Amino acid sequence: MIEKLEQQFQAKIDAEVKIEPKDWMPEKYRKTLIRQISQHAHSEVVGMLPEGNWITRAPSLRRKIALVAKVQDEAGHGLYLYSAAETLGAERDDLLDQLHTGKAKYSSIFNYPATTWADMGAIGWLVDGAAIMNQVMLTRASYGPYARAMVRICKEESFHQRQGYEILLTLCRGTEIQKQMAQDSLNRWWWPSLMMFGPNDAESTHSAQSMAWKIKRKSNDELRQAFVDATVPQAKILGITIPDPDLKWNEERGHYDFGEIDWAEFWNVVKGNGPCNRQRIEDRKKAYEKGAWVRDAAVAYAEKREQRKAASKAKVA
Amino acid sequence: MQPNHKLNYLLQLGDNALILGQRLSEWCGHGPVLEQDIAITNMALDLLGQARNWLDFAAQTEGKNRTEDDIAFLRNEWEYRNVLLVEYPNKDWAFTIVRQFLFDAFNYYLHKELTESKDEQIAAIAAKSLKEITYHLRFSSEWVIRLGDGTDISHEKMQTALNELWRYKGELFKLSPSDKAMISEEIGADLNKIKSLYDQKLKVIFEEATLTIPDGNWSQSGGKIGKHSEHMGHILSELQFMQRAFPAMEW
């Protein structure tokens, strides 16, 4: 029986028919999706913190407004994604609990500090740029609500990426010190951005099944290569140097070759030893705990209102 | 030298929006729940947008070839003309909401009056802002009621915030020299005219919220004439950081 359902399910996926919330699905597919979607939601919400760190110090009113709007978009993405996870039977509070206890992961990139204004440019250009590579693929993911959330998210992310690039372009066309600021930022964000695609294909544990289920359609290394190929010419326009001595065009492959990622650093940050892991989780926990009385009061008030409505209806009747 | 009353009047309007927008933007990423993080950030965005309109007009009125950013980021503390209420720290969601409501109710009637200003530009900016402020007032009123009449804890937190912030309300209606000059030219809003509407609004909302309006009408004041609280310097040290550390650059 189960076997037949599984066959039908895989046949649907092979035929590119979207899986919807009420459709039968293997328990492992559901769990994998909840894990992946909630990690993605957590990444959006934790991702608000490094950029949020610069909102009060943004250098002009126009930039301040654009940055606030951008960080707010990330909150919005978090919301769609938590909702998409809820269609699979997950509860938002449980998912948040997993984030706060360290059981759930989020994108490691946000465990790096945003120390200068140029980082608002580099995060948009590189981090959002890397995220888009992944997300464009996910607009075709087999699970309908996830794929649809991604379509909307992708549109906003590509706007953010252009905005980030434009911030750096302004710096690179500015004074010497602004150019230094841009270069310093690229130096710090380049390698962590490449790490965003995850381990090499040979090391990636979840990939094979996710590919078969079409939750994932391109491998980590393919996506990473596409990102490098797209980004190198953009750095040239900016006139800043990518911090990789091994980076060079390979005529034969038709791609850029690039140096080896520091995998020890990658795994360390994943395990919680990045510069900001503790700080990020602490900030999220603090916001959640400090908000508890507000959420409780909102629920209590809504209940009171319902009761009063019912009481006044009873009176009229 | 004669003070430029119209400029100072525009700074009063622009600085209220700027400083409150700056304060609200501190919530971004730290709200009590994602939906409210987004809502409070929306208000920050509205206020910062309004600040741009007022300060851009202030720069034109000043006529010294300065931009909205020069006005926003490069003045000395005593040249900012926002009320003390908006520079008060966020503290918690209760303080933020009470501060917002006390300000929104004022700002709503103020802008309604300003849509009738003899100065067309002021009337136009006011009309545009009024749509947003109408929403802000609805939002903060609803939250005052929800938390005032929510749980015992939320009620207590709201009452504490109200008791504390009450002494900053009076400054909203205290006439500065620029208020007086602009009212006499029918450019500015007559604050005496809107005071009773404001008091009435507060009475209705606080009553529904089961909150007690504090006794006493003593008010702190000074912001409108450039005398600020100790909080202001810290706000400016963040607000102005980039422009001060890296002067005369394009961003």
Side-chain angles (χ1 to χ4, degrees):
Chain A
M1 177 66 192
I2 286 272
E3 235 166 65
K4 201 171 167 207
L5 283 169
E6 275 179 3
Q7 277 167 13
Q8 283 170 351
F9 174 81
Q10 191 62 48
K12 247 166 123 180
I13 288 188
D14 294 342
E16 299 289 334
V17 176
K18 290 275 179 261
I19 306 301
E20 295 299 334
K22 287 189 176 146
D23 295 349
W24 185 88
M25 60 187 84
E27 211 34 46
K28 235 187 114 201
Y29 176 84
R30 181 190 303 277
K31 279 196 180 137
T32 302
L33 270 172
I34 291 176
R35 181 180 54 81
Q36 184 175 332
I37 297 174
S38 64
Q39 278 182 12
H40 191 164
H42 299 329
S43 301
E44 296 283 356
V45 173
V46 175
M48 296 169 75
L49 298 170
E51 289 173 290
N53 179 39
W54 276 91
I55 285 175
T56 58
R57 291 176 292 170
S60 71
L61 290 177
R62 183 173 76 92
R63 292 290 186 203
K64 188 187 290 287
I65 287 172
L67 182 60
V68 174
K70 187 198 166 184
V71 180
Q72 188 194 36
D73 281 347
E74 285 157 11
H77 298 171
L79 260 189
Y80 318 145
L81 289 163
Y82 285 124
S83 305
E86 281 166 346
T87 65
L88 291 158
E91 296 276 344
R92 208 206 292 187
D93 273 346
D94 295 338
L95 299 177
L96 290 177
D97 191 59
Q98 290 169 7
L99 171 67
H100 299 155
T101 55
K103 213 180 136 201
K105 299 283 179 222
Y106 54 89
S107 181
S108 274
I109 192 82
F110 301 118
N111 292 319
Y112 290 87
T115 50
T116 70
W117 172 252
D119 292 358
M120 300 304 100
I123 290 174
W125 173 40
L126 300 173
V127 175
D128 292 330
I132 290 166
M133 290 283 163
N134 242 315
Q135 289 166 354
V136 166
M137 164 186 83
L138 292 172
T139 60
R140 297 190 298 128
S142 57
Y143 186 58
Y146 191 28
R148 288 189 289 273
M150 276 305 143
V151 171
R152 197 165 156 192
I153 291 173
C154 271
K155 279 186 197 153
E156 293 180 352
E157 292 291 8
S158 58
F159 176 73
H160 295 162
Q161 194 200 11
R162 283 200 300 276
Q163 191 172 281
Y165 189 71
E166 201 257 323
I167 287 175
L168 286 179
L169 202 56
T170 308
L171 296 183
C172 291
R173 288 176 179 168
T175 60
E176 192 47 40
I177 196 157
Q178 284 173 301
K179 219 173 152 180
Q180 280 173 24
M181 201 187 274
Q183 181 65 57
D184 160 74
S185 185
L186 175 59
N187 293 349
R188 286 180 290 110
W189 290 96
W190 174 254
W191 289 107
S193 299
L194 293 194
M195 293 177 198
M196 281 177 73
F197 298 96
N200 286 135
D201 294 348
E203 313 286 325
S204 184
T205 43
H206 300 296
S207 285
Q209 180 64 77
S210 290
M211 294 275 238
W213 277 335
K214 295 189 181 169
I215 296 171
K216 196 175 161 79
R217 286 169 176 267
K218 286 181 182 169
S219 77
N220 293 354
D221 287 330
E222 276 178 273
L223 290 166
R224 187 164 17 239
Q225 182 69 60
F227 173 74
V228 172
D229 290 346
T231 309
V232 173
Q234 293 167 353
K236 281 191 182 139
I237 295 171
L238 291 175
I240 46 182
T241 310
I242 290 176
D244 178 358
D246 297 327
L247 185 77
K248 62 171 183 296
W249 179 251
N250 183 325
E251 194 64 54
E252 211 172 297
R253 291 203 306 128
H255 291 292
Y256 282 95
D257 291 337
F258 53 94
E260 186 64 19
I261 287 171
D262 181 349
W263 293 110
E265 175 180 328
F266 172 83
W267 289 114
N268 249 309
V269 181
V270 169
K271 282 178 191 143
N273 297 326
C276 299
N277 296 58
R278 282 156 193 267
Q279 179 188 333
R280 299 293 186 236
I281 291 298
E282 215 166 275
D283 278 355
R284 286 312 312 157
K285 265 166 78 177
K286 209 163 90 186
Y288 189 76
E289 282 159 13
K290 280 188 166 177
W293 70 270
V294 178
R295 296 189 300 275
D296 291 346
V299 171
Y301 178 74
E303 279 167 6
K304 273 189 201 173
R305 254 181 80 146
E306 279 306 308
Q307 283 167 9
R308 281 177 203 151
K309 246 195 223 158
S312 72
K313 248 191 200 161
K315 231 184 203 172
V316 174
Chain B
M1 203 179 79
Q2 277 286 22
N4 185 338
H5 284 307
K6 187 170 161 190
L7 171 62
N8 288 346
Y9 192 73
L10 292 170
L11 293 177
Q12 281 180 203
L13 293 163
D15 290 343
N16 279 344
L18 174 66
I19 301 303
L20 188 55
Q22 174 83 355
R23 275 291 188 222
L24 292 183
S25 76
E26 292 170 16
W27 272 107
C28 190
H30 306 276
V33 60
L34 216 40
E35 286 84 346
Q36 299 320 318
D37 200 304
I38 292 172
I40 203 89
T41 307
N42 252 335
M43 301 208 302
L45 282 172
D46 288 343
L47 286 163
L48 293 169
Q50 291 166 21
R52 277 187 87 174
N53 290 330
W54 292 123
L55 297 181
D56 178 54
F57 188 34
Q60 290 170 35
T61 303
E62 186 190 47
K64 287 183 183 165
N65 227 356
R66 295 209 292 173
T67 65
E68 61 180 34
D69 285 331
D70 296 332
I71 301 275
F73 296 97
L74 292 172
R75 276 176 294 154
N76 295 303
E77 180 172 322
W78 58 86
E79 295 169 301
Y80 284 80
R81 293 184 175 266
N82 55 282
V83 291
L84 299 176
L85 178 66
V86 297
E87 65 199 54
Y88 198 90
N90 290 343
K91 281 200 164 175
D92 63 10
W93 190 251
F95 270 84
T96 298
I97 290 296
V98 172
R99 183 186 65 197
Q100 196 62 35
F101 173 66
L102 292 175
F103 182 75
D104 288 340
F106 165 75
N107 216 25
Y108 172 76
Y109 294 114
L110 172 71
H111 280 71
K112 233 175 153 182
E113 276 297 302
L114 287 177
T115 59
E116 311 281 326
S117 170
K118 266 192 173 169
D119 184 295
E120 278 177 22
Q121 181 77 2
I122 289 181
I125 297 174
K128 193 164 169 267
S129 310
L130 185 61
K131 287 182 200 145
E132 296 164 350
I133 295 166
T134 305
Y135 171 75
H136 299 177
L137 177 58
R138 205 177 80 199
F139 176 89
S140 58
S141 302
E142 283 172 3
W143 271 100
V144 166
I145 294 166
R146 186 174 293 129
L147 296 176
D149 191 20
T151 59
D152 290 346
I153 294 173
S154 72
H155 178 87
E156 197 191 310
K157 283 182 184 285
M158 290 297 278
Q159 189 66 55
T160 304
L162 178 57
N163 293 348
E164 173 67 21
L165 291 170
W166 191 246
R167 65 205 166 93
Y168 294 99
K169 177 203 70 136
E171 189 191 4
L172 297 165
F173 294 95
K174 190 168 177 178
L175 297 180
S176 69
S178 310
D179 281 322
K180 286 180 192 157
M182 288 300 99
I183 291 168
S184 74
E185 290 184 42
E186 294 177 48
I187 290 174
D190 188 347
L191 298 182
N192 291 320
K193 212 168 125 186
I194 63 176
K195 177 131 193 343
S196 58
L197 292 168
Y198 179 81
D199 289 339
Q200 184 57 26
K201 181 79 188 173
L202 263 54
K203 191 168 169 280
V204 169
I205 297 297
F206 287 136
E207 213 167 86
E208 196 177 340
T210 71
L211 292 169
T212 310
I213 291 184
D215 290 330
N217 269 317
W218 166 252
S219 183
Q220 301 294 331
S221 66
K224 283 166 107 170
I225 52 169
K227 293 183 189 170
H228 293 279
S229 67
E230 288 186 350
H231 304 302
M232 190 66 177
H234 296 282
I235 294 175
L236 295 184
S237 69
E238 291 190 26
L239 182 77
Q240 299 187 338
F241 166 66
M242 290 293 291
Q243 293 275 351
R244 298 287 188 194
F246 307 99
M249 297 181 201
E250 289 287 323
W251 298 100

